[in-house]
Amino acid sequence: MNSYLEIIVQDISKAYSPGITAAEILKDVSPASRPEILAAELNGKQIDLSAPITEPGKLDFISVNTPKGLEILRHSTAHIMAQAVKELFPEVKVAIGPAIADGFYYDFDSPRPFTPEDLEKIELRMKEIVKSKLPFRKVVLPRGEAIQFFKELGENYKIELIEAIDADEVNLYSQGNFTDLCRGPHIPVSSAVKAFKLTKVAGAYWRGDERNRMLQRIYGTAFPSKDELKRYLELLEEAKRRDHRKLGKELDLFSISEEAGPGMVIWHPKGAMLRYLIEEFERKEHLRRGYQMVVGPQILKRELWEKSGHFDNYRENMYFTTVDEIDYGIKPMNCLSHMIIYKSRIRSYRDLPIRYFELGTVHRHEKSGVLHGLLRVRQFTQDDAHILCTPDQLNDEILGIINFVKDVMGIFGFDYTMELSTRPEKSIGSDEDWDRATTALEKALQALDLPYEINEGDGAFYGPKIDIKLTDALSRSWQCATIQCDFTLPERFGLTYVDADGTRKRPVMIHRVVLGAIERFLGVLIEHYAGAFPLWLAPVQAMILTITDRTDSYAAEIAETLRSHDIRVDLDLRNEKIGFKIREARNQKIPYMVILGDKELETQSIAVRKRGQDSTVTVDLAQFINALNQEISMRSF
RNA sequence: GCCGGGGUAGCUCAGUGGUAGAGCAGAUGAUUCGUAAUCAUCAGGCCGUGGGUUCAACUCCCAUCCUCGGCUCCA
């Protein structure tokens, strides 16, 4: 047995006695105090600074200013919160408390829900704990003893967690009088927490399963410094300003009326113009890529939904109605009529691929608690297409769609992530078909060298899918584009084509949307642009403002000319000061203001003020129209 | 759907048992004005809905609808 350990620290190999701690090595290599170091990593495994080291290897220190360090800080802050809660409310039982993307949470089983006042109290108690510099101590216990320990405390959730752990020993961490089951590592001492805040309380099911008891979850966040915490909170404020529901009201784009029904969007003139522009864009882009436009009915006979499998697998999301004693289902998807169109005549292999495109409006019964502005609604319009092709054409078609999505996202300037979702529990079709379809999707992603994640069991009931997700102002991600392979519906509907050898073969179907739902896409788009749409999408492109009523008729003339050049203009002829009118046009985020006074009338010119600029430029009208048309054709700011 | 917060004028919000308020928006009048809010006057409310308690309810209780946050991150 060696009497020393060889440790490579900061690229230098040094010899230490076994049992030395990371904290001691830190002191050795860096005599100055290093409070930003929270933990260490030995041969890639995270350890506490106080952990005795018994094996040689490479030692790295984890600073609070790295993602790993921040996660440790937040996780430890969750423990401090749990300690504070147990001290204030001893009857509460603790469940789990991990670090998450923007902070941490801890779930509690409390006889009564926490109030905002409770949060304040808990926060105060946490500050005291931080101040009292409690060390975090790790204890390793045999499973049985750990179970016994938590049994005495009545912490049955912890017992359940230990029972699920497949190991002889478990780690416990204590700070002060609070002990928690935890993998660690943790900060060395509670005073390492420099800035934190509790943000919200919410219900959460134990282990995320709605059949389980609902616990009380407290969310919070922690940062290395007060400044960083402040910046984060300011970011949240900015996100609120960008919220599409707020902007939708302020810019008079849409409303959702209690009278009309939840999850039903009512588009006001400016919002309807936005939709019109997006839909026109979509039609052009699809025609350009070899799609054909089709239109199907809003309700189809229930029998057909039974045949497709929707009735068995999707019924709880569907609405039904009866007409002349015949049952109908209101469509939650557009595929059925597309299949009927395909079946309307005999298809040759020479006809394939066939790409049917429909801006199809669907209804889905979403659970009441999940509705959310434009992002989750019950009636929406998809830019939906169904591609029917031979198995040989499948890969190229998928590549074509992914490239289509990339082009479109590029135009709007979106970042996105891709996920491959595999077979869910509730599904139809053979394992072979699922494998084939999943492989086809995966191969396409790999061929394009795109990063993606795998989402086990999250596919549609008829096939696997690639989802493209966009994020909203609060960095919540929303599925927009999706590409789904389907071998089952062509089978169920008996779709065939005549192949070169004269035999009938089964086509493959791809369901796909590019923007997804127009409603959701516009919701994300509003937040993406913070309501300041690029010229080609702005419902009002130019606002004409008059200084006195002496220029009213000149303004009308200018407006008419602009309209005749397809520029969307509004006039503000009100008896108000120019500063007031400019303020309103600014708040409405209109790309161009055209300001007309005596000077402009005299010289037959216009004064143009561009969004985001504080000064005007005097130009003649023809020049202005040219510049606008150029900007519109560029489809960018 | 579940847990918690909320619903008062078109909008944003104040009002905790004794007949309902502000700012902005609106209407009217004055002002004709050069780059983020001119002044004055007026009007506007089954206090989400239904029921109950009370001499009396926006306020307390029950139900219901809508809305907001969360229910994905695994010691």
Side-chain angles (χ1 to χ4, degrees), chain A residues 244-456:
Chain A
H244 73 280
R245 292 165 299 186
K246 187 172 154 69
L247 287 168
K249 211 176 271 176
E250 285 170 6
L251 305 180
D252 198 15
L253 300 175
F254 66 90
S255 59
I256 294 173
S257 152
E258 191 177 337
E259 282 177 292
M264 309 289 181
V265 182
I266 297 173
W267 293 95
H268 297 201
K270 285 176 188 151
M273 176 54 74
L274 253 183
R275 266 190 79 132
Y276 167 81
L277 292 163
I278 289 282
E279 289 174 4
E280 275 308 287
F281 165 77
E282 288 250 69
R283 290 193 183 98
K284 280 189 191 140
E285 293 295 322
H286 279 83
L287 291 176
R288 189 181 279 179
R289 288 171 171 81
Y291 287 80
Q292 297 170 283
M293 290 196 288
V294 297
V295 178
Q298 208 57 38
I299 64 175
L300 297 90
K301 282 187 186 170
R302 186 178 122 166
E303 282 170 38
L304 206 60
W305 297 109
E306 287 170 359
K307 189 171 172 183
S308 67
H310 286 84
F311 190 77
D312 284 340
N313 292 281
Y314 205 71
R315 191 181 358 182
E316 59 275 24
N317 285 301
M318 288 180 66
Y319 299 102
F320 293 94
T321 184
T322 304
V323 181
D324 290 343
E325 292 172 27
I326 297 170
D327 292 336
Y328 286 84
I330 299 166
K331 67 172 176 179
M333 298 185 193
N334 300 300
C335 31
L336 296 200
S337 40
H338 295 192
M339 281 188 290
I340 291 173
I341 298 167
Y342 182 90
K343 266 183 76 159
S344 66
R345 42 174 284 200
I346 292 180
R347 304 289 172 180
S348 155
Y349 73 99
R350 295 171 191 272
D351 298 329
L352 304 184
I354 286 175
R355 308 186 185 101
Y356 292 134
F357 170 64
E358 176 174 8
L359 282 163
T361 301
V362 298
H363 290 77
R364 295 183 185 174
H365 179 244
E366 302 288 347
K367 285 181 179 176
S368 61
V370 303
L371 300 176
H372 186 92
L374 294 180
L375 299 179
R376 193 89 179 259
V377 293
R378 285 181 172 160
Q379 176 191 306
F380 54 96
T381 300
Q382 295 177 301
D383 61 335
D384 204 359
H386 293 90
I387 298 175
L388 291 138
C389 62
T390 69
D392 286 349
Q393 293 168 331
L394 186 60
N395 281 340
D396 279 352
E397 287 305 307
I398 295 170
L399 285 178
I401 298 162
I402 297 178
N403 279 320
F404 191 174
V405 172
K406 276 171 72 179
D407 288 353
V408 170
M409 293 307 147
I411 287 169
F412 295 103
F414 274 119
D415 291 327
Y416 50 91
T417 57
M418 296 211 180
E419 287 173 11
L420 177 65
S421 298
T422 59
R423 184 166 194 165
E425 269 177 47
K426 202 172 180 182
S427 57
I428 53 178
S430 72
D431 285 345
E432 278 163 24
D433 283 346
W434 275 86
D435 283 349
R436 262 163 73 205
T438 309
T439 310
L441 292 172
E442 196 152 25
K443 263 166 71 183
L445 287 169
Q446 284 161 359
L448 288 168
D449 205 20
L450 293 165
Y452 63 95
E453 282 175 30
I454 299 219
N455 220 341
E456 284 311 332

Side-chain angles (χ1 to χ4, degrees), chain A residues 505-533:
Chain A
K505 298 222 170 110
R506 186 79 69 215
V508 183
M509 180 153 89
I510 306 171
H511 311 241
R512 46 105 288 179
V513 289
V514 173
L515 303 185
I518 305 291
E519 284 76 4
R520 173 174 291 180
F521 185 77
L522 284 177
V524 178
L525 198 68
I526 290 165
E527 303 194 352
H528 178 65
Y529 290 128
F533 299 105

